[in-house]
Amino acid sequence: MLRLASASLAGTAIEFYDFFVYGTAAALVLGPLFFPTFSPLAGTLAAFATFGVGFVARPLGSAVFGHIGDRYGRRPVLLASLLLTGLATVAVGCVPTYGSIGVAAPVLLLLLRFLQGLGLGGEWGGAVLLTAEHAPERQRGLWSSFPQVGPAVGFLLANGITLGLSAGLTEAQFTSWGWRVPFWAAGLLALVGLWLRHSVEETPQFRELAERRETASAPLAEVVRGHWRLLLLTGGALAVGYAVFYAVTTWSLAYATEHLKVDRTVMLACIMTAVALKGAVTPLVAVLGDRYGRRPLCLAGCAASALWMFPLIALLRTADPLLMTLGFIGALFGMVTMFAVVGAYLPELYEPRIRCTGAAVGYNLGGVLGGALTPLVATAVADGSGPPWGVAAYLTAVALLSLGCFALLPETNPAVAAGTRTGAAEAAAPA
């Protein structure tokens, strides 16, 4: 299990590195380089719009790779999704700017971001099922949390490289070519990930389905037809986690550097500290999910997020590094209370034959609702000289939406539900 979980974590970290490095670049340099005819605000909005395209592509990637995972096995998904995301990310680092090729530059950026989203949409389902379907029943939350540590590791890699370049290069050097280096590094990381995953075995549950010839021929159709309500509930439930994470890691970076004039290096260090702590506590929270259940932790995380959004904005507005870091830590701790257990929670909601598609599409629908919209909405709402309380109100509303969705979902932990789980469709269907 440790070998499998480590391979899953490494691959997820590399794929999320690819995804996050774009978010950092969008916050710092992509607006002026690819949308120079826009005002500073409009340029940032346009850069975040291309950032959001990756989230829109993720459910489609979940459907495509979920079909492969449910029809042909979880292992092919792990390799194909990593290769696609890695190639697209390297290509982003090679795209000429608007000054060189005109409008073709943002068009290419948009296309490559879409391909990034396709690959990442397939990654999560394959990675969590690799661990969830191999893990002992009473430790499923713990082992399934390893892929959930991957985003934190990927974020730290992406921002660590960016931070080093930002500190070591002049502004002109960073804007000219320095921002491209993290994208080029994705090629080497993808090769490492493929090497780690090439010997991974297929999961026992899928092998059993294949031997009995019970694999789904059209998993997406089955999910939409028989589990549409569950799909919408899981997407709404996970929206707050995405919204909070990208408000902290992407929007706040742009807001603080542009409006509060905080040094870029200082902001990256504050955010990285909070994300590192989030990654460190993820397995510990997952153990609580194995003992007390997935649903109670998710409800607690939503409630904590709703209560913390206004203090987060107040602490951000101080522009004090310690206070901003405190605000980020509080926000991400609320988020991780939910996301530490969803690696086990979502697969348990779906029967094995459609699990790769159902869990991945539900997970990435939350990304569209929370991740794609949040930097755009927050940037638009925060325009002006006063405190961006509208951002806090927006995030609080998303947290309450997710709280309501989690309240309508069943408990799935076998130790807590005492073996009464009847399947995702029955559990989520109206009386």
Side-chain angles (χ1 to χ4, degrees), residues 188-276:
L188 178 60
L189 292 174
L191 291 176
V192 172
L194 290 170
W195 177 77
L196 288 170
R197 286 184 165 182
H198 81 282
S199 61
V200 166
E201 299 175 357
E202 189 54 76
T203 68
Q205 290 189 24
F206 182 81
R207 288 201 305 268
E208 184 178 339
L209 285 171
E211 289 169 2
R212 298 201 308 256
R213 298 186 178 182
E214 294 179 358
T215 56
S217 58
L220 180 61
E222 284 193 40
V223 170
V224 173
R225 184 173 57 248
H227 306 270
W228 62 269
R229 185 172 181 265
L230 176 62
L231 205 61
L232 294 177
L233 284 176
T234 51
L238 297 177
V240 64
Y242 282 100
V244 169
F245 187 83
Y246 287 101
V248 168
T249 61
T250 302
W251 169 75
S252 69
L253 178 60
Y255 177 80
T257 54
E258 292 175 9
H259 289 261
L260 305 180
K261 306 305 178 185
V262 180
D263 184 76
R264 178 174 61 215
T265 304
V266 171
M267 279 304 298
L268 286 172
C270 293
I271 294 168
M272 287 172 63
T273 299
V275 173

